[in-house]
Amino acid sequence: AAICASPPPRGEGLGVGGLALALAIALTSPASAQVASTGTPAADILLSQAITEHRTFLTCSALDPATHAQITANWQRDVTAAAAILAANAIPAEAIAAFQTAAEPANLLPSADTPFADVKQLCDGNPDWQTRYAKANLTRLHLKLPQAFE
């Protein structure tokens, strides 16, 4: 999977250390986490960062149906907008399809056999996830992705 090699901008990202990132990545299967290269490194970083953040948001909101539904709906709108932005910038259809598959909410949630302790560790490692989401301190692709192509 394409992973952001540089730290997220100040005030954004996963919060508590690399363990949270490692857990977020480990909680999904490698096939569902793949993002094909768009040929634009800045876009690749944004797509991977948004997927990683939403893996945390979707996983940690799973016990609150209303919050989870809202995060899912917002994410799906952002993914749709991102796919349109990618297409408008002549990104190959295969790369767009790979992003859309990786970004599917079901692919961002832990598998059914994931131990609850692992999920709890991810969410405990991101105690501010609700605040970050509520304050829109996250990678909003419909706003940031166009800048990657400027």
Side-chain angles (χ1 to χ4, degrees):
I3 302 298
C4 178
S6 61
R10 189 169 198 78
E12 294 185 13
L14 289 177
V16 179
L19 178 61
L21 176 61
L23 272 172
I25 292 166
L27 287 176
T28 61
S29 68
S32 67
Q34 295 298 315
V35 176
S37 174
T38 64
T40 304
D44 296 343
I45 290 168
L46 286 170
L47 296 174
S48 295
Q49 184 173 329
I51 285 173
T52 299
E53 291 170 357
H54 279 81
R55 185 173 293 121
T56 298
F57 297 141
L58 289 165
T59 299
C60 297
S61 69
L63 295 178
D64 180 350
T67 300
H68 187 74
Q70 185 63 55
I71 290 171
T72 300
N74 291 343
W75 174 236
Q76 288 174 319
R77 277 192 296 276
D78 207 27
V79 168
T80 299
I85 293 164
L86 293 170
N89 285 279
I91 299 303
E94 300 80 28
I96 297 170
F99 161 68
Q100 290 172 307
T101 298
E104 278 290 324
N107 291 337
L108 299 182
L109 291 170
S111 63
D113 62 347
T114 300
F116 181 74
D118 292 351
V119 175
K120 184 174 179 343
Q121 188 173 4
L122 169 69
C123 297
D124 287 351
N126 292 281
D128 63 339
W129 74 266
Q130 286 179 302
T131 303
R132 285 189 5 253
Y133 192 86
K135 291 183 176 183
N137 186 7
L138 56 119
T139 303
R140 296 190 296 173
L141 293 172
H142 69 282
L143 297 176
K144 293 185 178 186
L145 195 53
Q147 298 167 11
F149 295 101
E150 292 178 350

